[in-house]
Structures are given as structure tokens and as C-alpha cells.
Amino acid sequence: HKEEDLVPDKSGTYYRNWRPHIRSESDIWDEIISVTGLPGVTTPPKLQPIETRLVMLQTGMRSSMGIKIKGQDLETIEEFGMTLESHLKEVEGIEKSSVFADRIVAKPYLELEIDRAKAARYNLSVNHIQEVIEVAIGGKILSYSVEGRERYGIRVRYPREMRATPEDIENIYLDVEEGSAIPLSEVVTLSYRQGPQQIKSEDSFLVGYLIFDKEAAISEITAVERVRQHLNTLIASGELKVPENVSFEFDGNYKNQIRAEKKLSFLIPLVLIVIFIILYIQFKSAWLSLMVFSGVAVSFAGGFLLIWLYGQPWFMDFGLPGFNFRESFGIDKVNLSVAVWVGFIALFGIATDDGVVMGTYLKTTFAQRKPSDVKGIRASVMEAGLKRIRPCLMTTATTILALLPILTATGRGSDVMVSMAIPCLGGMIMALLSLFMVPVLYSWREELRLKGNENDGI
């Protein structure tokens, strides 16, 4: 490869000799799919080994999203799962190559069926025939070998060349009372039948899994809602019929998101109420507490604004030769998640810092000067604002500087940390408006109070 074709490693030391069209993990995955694809078989979602185990512990499936089909009959579950598989590939935003329904009844079984009537002619019991089959084919443990703390079973069975094929099994001999022997085929019928590769059950029902994955541009909840809406439309139109005694439900990591949203819908209002109560305890004034509390609303808007900017391809797409701000800060589209809402909760707690500093000094200044006209009120506001703006700016600057290393993190857990830091950064930048809002609102309130006193005097 030419030097311009080499892809530098993140450490900046080594170079990766990748083919020209390979530039990311997704490109590698697409290449694996194209080489290892089998006709009629779809590929599983793109998961790393450790990630797969974590996902399976959370969902029971090897995918972060899927459908659990429950019923009483494995054949019906498999058939319905394959029907859903074909319909899910039509949904926009779903990776078609990741949609895969369990092939449950697809494993051949060699069944030995005992003919009880024939066995009775030879005066053979079913138990005796089963014991011979067990010893000859499966093996029977007769004793144990003890070696220290280890125990090894001594198993007895026929050598492999006498049980390797169905014909060999049919020629296994059974002893009868007359002293002669008959082949097993006289009393046992051998047949191949399809059976389950694995039997899974949940809530006392047999279950089969249909897994799928989303495209990178949408969130898990959006993907599941699109699939749910598509299937409901098909069921309503009669194009998709759910078999009798069969039900299906969506499962996956998105359930954790839904549960977290329900908790956050209670916690976020609770946090806001607690913040306001603390402000009221501090200032002993509902009006001043509301003025300072306005910084929460401003910071809330700032957090969402930065989240929107992160999703724009032009945002921070500049830099120096060999250094790009967008790549260095890992700027990419951010979906609302639990980590983002936790970041907002942390933001609400620190967004009122500047307002508290400004409000406290305004209250102290007015208590000392007690201005009696509009000019005096505005002069007092200007004096308090000018003296407190430097501490407020330093408070905000230290918070923003502390967040910058988190925004450039790339290691394990960085996706969670960055999602928490983005709303905090945007909110703190926007919260600088409280340096002007609190003094202006305080001046407006004092002027209204002064006008009210003048009217009372008249």
C-alpha cells in the first residue's frame, strides 16, 4: 500500500494495512457477512464476545432486541417465527441481515420404538429391552474409579463398530428364555424424525426467539416501536394471523430504557421540587427563589441544544492539520438514554450556582442601600452584578473545564460518561445567561414593588 492508503492507529504509532474499502468496524463486519453468508440463513447481530454475554444475561437472547414467541407446540412456534422474520425485513430502520428466527425443529433424531406385542411373544419385558439398549448404545456405569478426590465412572457399552450405524443397532442381540438370541430389529423399529435442537421455556410456555438489530441512525426504542406498529398493521389487515395458543412479546435492552424512563418521570420532577425548596430555605422568598430557579429552565434548553448540535455533520468539523475537533471529541449523534437524563439531573443541581451567588449578593446589597427610586434600584443592581460576575464566571469555567476530559474519553464506559457530560456542558454554557437574567428580574421586581408603594400612597 502507498503511504496515503495506510490508516494510522489511535495511538499514532502503528499503521494498519487495510484494504481501500475497509475503514471501520462496520466495514469489517460487512466483509465477514459477504464471505460467510449461507443461502436461507441470516447473520446474527454485530456483538463482541463480552458484549454478547452481557446482553444474554440481561435479555436471555444473543441480541439487544428481539421477540419472544410463546406457545404449546414447537412446530407452530417455529413456523410463526419464520413468518415474522420475513415481515421484519420489510421494516425501515431494521438491519435485514440481522433478522433471524430460531430454527427449533430441525435436528434429526434416531428413535427406537418398542413393539410391545412382539416383545410379549418372546416373553421379553420393556424394561429388559431398554436395559440392553442402554448398555449397548449409551453405556451404563457399573462402578467408579477413585483417584484421590477425583471419581471416574467405569462405563460399559458395545465397541463403536458394533453401534455406529442403524443397521448395527438392529443387529444387537437380545437373550430370550429358551437360551437363543434374537436381533433387536425383531422387537424394535428404528426411524429418523425431526426434533428440537434445544427446548426453551418461560412462564410455563415453550418459547422461541426472533432476534433483530437496528441501523445506527435510530434508537432501540424507535426500532421496536416501528416493528410493533408494522406487525399491528399486518394483524389488523388480516395479512398476518397469529396462530391459536401462540403469543409474542418484545424483549431486550429497550425494556431497561422504558423502566428507567418511568422512574425518571417521577425522579426529575422530585429533583426540581427539592431544588426549589432548598432555594426557598436559602432566600426565604418565593419570588427570588423563582428568579434563581429560572436558571434550571435555561440550562435545560442549553443541554438539548448541544445534543442537537452533536447530531449535525457540520458541528465542530474543523481543526488544524492532522487534528480535527470533531474526531478528537468523538462528536456524533446522541440518542436520549438513561445516561443523558442522569446528566440532566446533575445539571439541575449545578445550574443554580451562579443564580444563588448573584441572588444572595443582590439581596444583601438592597438590604444595605435600601434604594427608594428607580435610579437607585438600577444602580444597586449594577453594583451587585459587577461585583459577582467574576466569581460566577470562575464557577462556570471550572465546571466546563472539568467536563472537557470526559468529552474526549474513548475507553470502556466512555459512551456512558460522554452521554452524561454533553447535557452538563451545554447547560452550563447556556446557564451563563442567568448572570443577566437574575439581576434583570430582580430589578424588575423591585421596580414593580416601588410603583405599587407609590400607588398605595396616592
Side-chain angles (χ1 to χ4, degrees):
H1 287 270
K2 298 179 182 178
E3 184 176 351
E4 58 269 17
D5 294 333
L6 299 177
V7 180
D9 190 75
K10 292 182 179 179
S11 64
T13 305
Y14 303 100
Y15 286 86
R16 302 180 184 272
N17 293 320
W18 287 348
R19 282 168 285 176
H21 63 285
I22 303 294
R23 285 295 181 270
S24 67
E25 295 177 357
S26 298
D27 295 335
I28 297 175
W29 184 251
D30 293 338
E31 191 74 8
I32 293 173
I33 292 176
S34 64
V35 175
T36 61
L38 298 174
V41 178
T42 56
T43 58
K46 180 174 63 176
L47 294 174
Q48 299 297 323
I50 296 177
E51 183 182 3
T52 304
R53 279 158 174 72
L54 292 176
V55 168
M56 290 186 72
L57 286 173
Q58 292 177 344
T59 66
M61 303 177 293
R62 65 179 190 276
S63 173
S64 58
M65 290 176 290
I67 300 176
K68 291 183 177 180
I69 306 169
K70 298 179 181 180
Q72 302 289 348
D73 180 60
L74 291 174
E75 289 80 3
T76 306
I77 292 174
E78 179 185 28
E79 182 180 353
F80 184 63
M82 296 178 69
T83 303
L84 291 181
E85 178 185 300
S86 62
H87 288 303
L88 258 65
K89 293 181 180 180
E90 303 170 355
V91 181
E92 182 182 358
I94 301 299
E95 285 283 356
K96 294 179 176 58
S97 61
S98 68
V99 183
F100 182 77
D102 284 348
R103 271 55 176 175
I104 304 173
V105 186
K107 186 175 183 179
Y109 282 81
L110 180 63
E111 290 193 355
L112 285 73
E113 184 176 354
I114 300 175
D115 190 329
R116 294 176 179 266
K118 291 182 179 180
R121 293 175 192 171
Y122 293 101
N123 199 21
L124 293 173
S125 66
V126 174
N127 183 53
H128 176 66
I129 297 174
Q130 289 177 338
E131 285 183 351
V132 172
I133 293 173
E134 178 186 4
V135 174
I137 302 174
K140 186 172 184 179
I141 296 178
L142 301 180
S143 182
Y144 289 90
S145 172
V146 180
E147 298 180 13
R149 298 182 62 187
E150 299 175 358
R151 303 291 188 273
Y152 298 96
I154 302 175
R155 187 185 299 272
V156 176
R157 64 176 171 176
Y158 279 19
R160 185 176 296 277
E161 58 271 12
M162 296 183 66
R163 54 180 172 83
T165 65
E167 291 76 13
D168 294 334
I169 295 174
E170 289 179 342
N171 291 327
I172 294 174
Y173 282 89
L174 295 167
D175 292 329
V176 295
E177 290 184 355
E178 289 78 6
S180 59
I182 61 172
L184 193 63
S185 58
E186 288 290 328
V187 293
V188 174
T189 302
L190 275 68
S191 62
Y192 277 106
R193 294 183 182 178
Q194 283 192 332
Q197 302 185 65
Q198 184 181 8
I199 299 177
K200 299 186 287 288
S201 63
E202 291 184 15
D203 302 328
S204 74
F205 290 99
L206 297 173
V207 64
Y209 298 150
L210 168 60
I211 61 174
F212 59 92
D213 201 3
K214 64 180 181 64
E215 294 179 352
I218 63 175
S219 65
E220 291 183 353
I221 294 181
T222 302
V224 172
E225 289 302 323
R226 287 184 182 180
V227 173
R228 191 196 305 274
Q229 183 178 1
H230 182 70
L231 294 181
N232 289 339
T233 303
L234 294 176
I235 293 174
S237 64
E239 187 176 346
L240 175 63
K241 294 183 179 180
V242 182
E244 188 178 357
N245 298 325
V246 172
S247 64
F248 66 93
E249 63 177 3
F250 292 86
D251 205 340
N253 288 341
Y254 86 99
K255 277 193 170 182
N256 298 332
Q257 178 78 7
I258 294 175
R259 284 193 293 266
E261 286 183 356
K262 289 182 179 179
K263 291 182 180 179
L264 290 171
S265 64
F266 168 76
L267 288 176
I268 291 179
L270 179 62
V271 168
L272 295 176
I273 292 172
V274 171
I275 291 174
F276 182 79
I277 291 174
I278 293 174
L279 291 176
Y280 184 80
I281 294 173
Q282 166 68 24
F283 295 112
K284 303 294 189 300
S285 169
W287 279 103
L288 184 54
S289 299
L290 285 172
M291 293 175 193
V292 176
F293 192 77
S294 65
V296 172
V298 173
S299 63
F300 192 63
F304 272 106
L305 181 61
L306 188 58
I307 290 174
W308 176 80
L309 289 174
Y310 259 63
Q312 306 306 309
W314 48 264
F315 181 63
M316 297 290 288
D317 191 16
F318 59 88
L320 302 174
F323 178 83
N324 184 274
F325 284 98
R326 186 174 180 86
E327 294 180 359
S328 300
F329 283 88
I331 297 176
D332 200 359
K333 183 176 180 179
V334 179
N335 293 317
L336 288 180
S337 62
V338 178
V340 172
W341 288 112
V342 171
F344 273 112
I345 291 175
L347 170 65
F348 296 155
I350 58 179
T352 56
D353 289 350
D354 293 344
V356 170
V357 173
M358 189 67 71
T360 301
Y361 201 75
L362 281 168
K363 186 176 181 180
T364 303
T365 302
F366 272 76
Q368 293 175 352
R369 300 185 60 169
K370 298 180 180 179
S372 58
D373 55 5
V374 174
K375 185 176 180 180
I377 290 174
R378 294 181 179 178
S380 300
V381 169
M382 287 294 295
E383 178 185 347
L386 290 173
K387 288 186 177 181
R388 292 296 95 185
I389 190 168
R390 181 177 294 178
C392 290
L393 288 175
M394 292 181 64
T395 301
T396 303
T398 53
T399 303
I400 293 175
L401 290 175
L403 293 173
L404 292 181
I406 301 177
L407 292 172
T408 57
T410 57
R412 293 183 180 90
S414 60
D415 53 340
V416 177
M417 292 189 296
V418 171
S419 298
M420 293 175 60
I422 290 174
C424 289
L425 178 63
M428 288 306 298
I429 294 175
M430 189 65 71
L432 290 173
L433 291 176
S434 63
L435 298 177
F436 306 97
M437 287 182 58
V438 174
V440 170
L441 291 174
Y442 200 95
S443 176
W444 170 72
R445 170 61 180 167
E446 292 298 325
E447 291 179 21
L448 287 179
R449 181 180 296 175
L450 179 62
K451 290 180 181 180
N453 294 334
E454 291 177 354
N455 293 333
D456 292 340
I458 294 175

